[in-house]
Amino acid sequence: MERIYLDNAATTPLDKAVIAEMVKVMEGYYGNPSSIHAQGREVRTFIEKARKSVANLLNAVPAEIFFTSGGTEADNTAIVCGVGTFGLKHVITSKIEHHAVEHTLDNLLNKGVIDRVSYVDIDDKGNIDYDHLEKLLQQNPRSLVSLMHANNELGTLTDIYRVGDLCEQYDAIYHCDTVQTMGHYVHDVRKLKVHFLACAAHKLHGPKGVGFLYVNHNIKISPLIYGGAQERNMRGGTENVYGIVGLAKAFEIAHEHMEEHRIHIQNLKSYLINRLQAEIPGVMFNGEIDPDKSLYTVLNVSFPEMDMGDMLLFNLDINGISASGGSACSSGSNIGSHVLNEINANATRPSVRFSFSKHNTREELDYVVEKLKHIVEQNINV
């Protein structure tokens, strides 16, 4: 069997239609989109067409979409510029956010840009305590709230409509990291009471190095990157035209087939849960697995304590299975998952994040379970 790729929360393979769209622009159009001559204007039309396409799928207006280098830049822009523009001194977040949020807030705190960060309580599955969130908002009017839609390691979903209602009630600025859910769920920004949403194209079968930040039209922020007048003076630097075109195409494909792919992937996830429970005694799951509370593309599995448990990912790799232990953005580091630590996951049990795409099959999962069962049986502590 060919290698089995189950690390789609880290990145997804490019769609062939996305590649074709990008190649068409690469081969035939090379003008600088800021140039006023015909070749420049020609390339500019590709960017604005992409912006309009993305905006339409979010029920936004094109002026609310700013293209970035990816989700990390989008998160940084929302937080740094949101805090700076509005003079906010207090931020509410959780201790299981992506490092693009966590480390940005640490930096702002260390520099004295903000006075305090408050952390909303979470349970052992990564669920937000909404009553505690409201209490924090009551105590700290005019805060920035940064809470992700789906945790990238656990898959646990946050009710972003409920968070948005609370932020509106207490006049807070709401930033939501939607990197894992863009292209997998419909985000209607006319119904969501959110000020910022982040996207990275490579999480939805688009290219790496490009994303966007949605900025609600009711607010205006200063730039993070200065230079030219690109992105309506909001982001200096010549635009990644090919990436932007690829992003828009990937976004269109994802929305066109969203329900079909959701059903397929959710069925795969449920199938793997059932197979693991049947074949590996003592297997557990980190985060929510209820379909209504969990991102259908992510499953975090906690295996029984075993000899060489820290080699589980390596053993999967040599058996042709690509998966991840926690956040893929820190793959190769010796630092344990901050997310698993915060939900008090058992550190003696090895955990693996399997993340699925439309390309995965049941046959692949059968092979994965077979190999996992063998590895666990060979290394289980008696």
Side-chain angles (χ1 to χ4, degrees):
M1 180 176 284
E2 294 182 3
R3 284 198 67 89
I4 296 171
Y5 187 73
L6 289 170
D7 201 17
N8 291 278
T11 196
T12 53
L14 271 168
D15 255 313
K16 290 182 180 179
V18 172
I19 296 172
E21 197 79 7
M22 294 171 68
V23 168
K24 180 179 73 174
V25 179
M26 288 177 182
E27 291 181 338
Y29 305 91
Y30 56 84
N32 188 311
S34 294
S35 298
I36 62 172
H37 50 63
Q39 286 159 309
R41 295 196 308 272
E42 196 172 40
V43 173
R44 167 60 55 189
T45 62
F46 285 106
I47 296 175
E48 297 313 320
K49 181 182 176 182
R51 195 188 316 277
K52 183 177 181 181
S53 174
V54 169
N56 285 342
L57 293 170
L58 292 174
N59 199 18
V61 297
E64 295 176 305
I65 305 300
F66 298 91
F67 293 115
T68 67
S69 64
T72 293
E73 185 191 327
D75 285 338
N76 272 254
T77 302
I79 294 169
V80 174
C81 301
V83 163
T85 300
F86 298 107
L88 304 177
K89 294 296 183 181
H90 178 254
V91 177
I92 300 171
T93 187
S94 80
K95 289 189 175 182
I96 59 170
E97 299 299 305
H98 192 278
H99 285 318
V101 170
E102 182 188 32
H103 291 171
T104 302
L105 293 176
D106 288 345
N107 185 53
L108 291 177
L109 194 60
N110 291 336
K111 288 182 175 179
V113 176
I114 56 178
D115 295 333
R116 189 158 52 91
V117 176
S118 294
Y119 297 98
V120 65
D121 291 341
I122 57 171
D123 66 16
D124 61 3
K125 293 185 181 296
N127 293 294
I128 295 297
D129 183 333
Y130 298 98
D131 291 336
H132 185 230
L133 174 59
E134 181 167 16
K135 183 177 179 181
L136 291 173
L137 285 165
Q138 288 172 336
Q139 296 170 343
N140 303 276
R142 200 52 173 168
S143 299
L144 173 74
V145 173
S146 183
L147 293 169
M148 68 201 319
H149 185 198
N151 187 270
N152 55 302
E153 295 191 35
L154 305 174
T156 300
L157 288 167
T158 292
D159 185 344
I160 53 179
Y161 286 92
R162 187 171 178 181
V163 174
D165 287 341
L166 287 170
C167 288
E168 180 184 56
Q169 183 179 347
Y170 294 99
D171 195 29
I173 300 295
Y174 180 25
H175 160 248
C176 187
D177 179 341
T178 46
V179 167
Q180 290 293 339
T181 59
M182 278 289 178
H184 299 296
Y185 294 87
V186 173
H187 294 87
D188 185 338
V189 297
R190 298 282 79 90
K191 296 178 180 178
L192 278 172
K193 296 169 183 176
V194 65
H195 298 93
F196 303 107
L197 295 176
C199 172
H202 71 107
K203 306 291 188 178
L204 50 106
H205 303 284
K208 297 174 180 62
V210 65
F212 68 78
L213 176 67
Y214 159 81
V215 182
N216 188 292
H217 69 279
N218 289 318
I219 63 172
K220 182 174 175 58
I221 58 172
S222 56
L224 178 70
I225 298 174
Y226 290 87
Q230 292 89 354
E231 292 301 289
R232 300 184 307 287
N233 293 303
M234 265 295 295
R235 184 188 188 272
T238 302
E239 297 91 341
N240 176 4
V241 182
Y242 319 124
I244 290 169
V245 167
L247 183 160
K249 184 64 175 179
F251 209 50
E252 290 164 9
I253 294 170
H255 277 76
E256 182 180 355
H257 301 284
M258 188 179 291
E259 184 61 12
E260 165 195 341
H261 292 160
R262 183 195 65 78
I263 293 170
H264 171 68
I265 298 169
Q266 181 62 64
N267 285 339
L268 289 178
K269 179 176 176 177
S270 298
Y271 182 70
L272 183 57
I273 290 171
N274 292 333
R275 286 295 318 274
L276 289 171
Q277 288 175 326
E279 300 292 341
I280 303 177
V283 74
M284 298 170 64
F285 303 98
N286 297 312
E288 291 284 0
I289 58 171
D290 181 333
D292 293 329
K293 298 179 180 180
S294 178
L295 173 61
Y296 56 89
T297 58
V298 171
L299 179 66
N300 196 303
V301 185
S302 174
F303 292 93
E305 185 177 349
M306 67 182 85
D307 292 329
M308 305 293 287
D310 56 345
M311 297 294 288
L312 180 54
L313 284 174
F314 175 75
N315 279 313
L316 288 173
D317 190 33
I318 62 176
N319 279 284
I321 301 164
S322 297
S324 161
S327 174
C329 297
S330 58
S331 290
S333 77
N334 292 319
I335 301 172
S337 162
H338 72 289
V339 173
L340 296 182
N341 287 336
E342 289 299 331
I343 65 167
N344 297 315
N346 188 335
T348 66
R349 295 171 60 100
S351 294
V352 178
R353 180 186 69 178
F354 297 104
S355 47
F356 318 94
S357 84
K358 59 189 179 183
H359 300 303
N360 292 122
T361 66
R362 284 196 174 197
E363 290 72 23
E364 289 179 329
L365 300 186
D366 286 335
Y367 176 83
V368 170
V369 173
E370 175 190 331
K371 293 301 177 183
L372 280 168
K373 184 179 180 182
H374 177 72
I375 293 169
V376 172
E377 288 175 348
Q378 292 295 309
N379 293 280
I380 195 74
N381 291 330
V382 180

